[in-house]
Amino acid sequence: MTHAQLIRIVRASAVYDLVVTSLFALPFTARWLFDALAALHDQLGLPGTTPDSGDVYAVMFANLMGGLVVVWSILRLVRPSFAAGTADIGARVFFSIGMLSALAAGASPLVAVMLVLELAWALVQGAAVAVRARQRRAGALAGVAA
């Protein structure tokens, strides 16, 4: 795994996050997204609940999360790095824990789709970071031995 390959993975995960979370960042887009998810949930006849677009706290927390992820995504696009990729894995683990908790509490199974994608990106970046870290250690040890 080259450094350039790792950087491409970090950037790709940032683009994914930007596309998926940008609608959560503003009140009017979050409300629209909540309503769209509720409509899809109902169309599919799924069990569980969806966020209420009229709940000011749900919208506010969605805006906080969406805004933070948009900023974090832009940072990873502009300054992708080994450290950013590593930190993003941790963020994905925290998001996954939140999604698992929501599913256990009765959230719509639509959350499971987001969870699978979140875990997939954690695994892809985790593998890339692990391989690159081993290569860096091997290179450092080779330099010490020389």
Side-chain angles (χ1 to χ4, degrees), residues 45 75 97-98 110 119:
L75 175 68
I97 291 168
L110 292 174
L119 291 171

Side-chain angles (χ1 to χ4, degrees), residues 38-144:
L40 177 61
H41 172 91
D42 292 343
Q43 260 186 330
L44 296 173
L46 298 173
T49 62
T50 58
D52 177 3
S53 64
D55 181 344
V56 296
Y57 292 105
V59 173
M60 179 188 72
F61 283 111
N63 296 156
L64 294 172
M65 179 274 305
L68 184 61
V69 174
V70 164
V71 170
W72 174 237
S73 298
I74 291 169
L75 175 68
R76 288 179 294 141
L77 284 169
V78 174
R79 295 213 185 271
S81 66
F82 178 87
T86 303
D88 193 57
I89 296 162
R92 290 184 188 285
V93 168
F94 281 117
F95 273 76
S96 296
I97 291 168
M99 290 179 204
L100 284 168
S101 176
L103 285 166
S108 171
L110 292 174
V111 173
V113 174
M114 296 185 314
L115 174 61
V116 167
L117 293 168
E118 199 67 26
L119 291 171
W121 275 111
L123 291 172
V124 167
Q125 274 191 134
V129 164
V131 168
R132 190 69 186 135
R134 267 185 262 135
Q135 290 172 334
R136 289 169 73 176
R137 277 193 303 274
L141 290 175
V144 169

Side-chain angles (χ1 to χ4, degrees), residues 4-42:
Q5 289 170 319
L6 174 68
I7 295 305
R8 277 195 296 276
I9 291 170
V10 171
R11 278 195 173 122
S13 75
V15 168
Y16 165 79
D17 286 344
L18 195 56
V19 168
V20 169
T21 60
S22 61
L23 290 177
F24 288 105
L26 298 170
F28 65 93
T29 56
R31 284 186 188 98
W32 176 85
L33 182 58
F34 284 0
D35 289 340
L37 289 172
L40 177 61
H41 172 91
D42 292 343

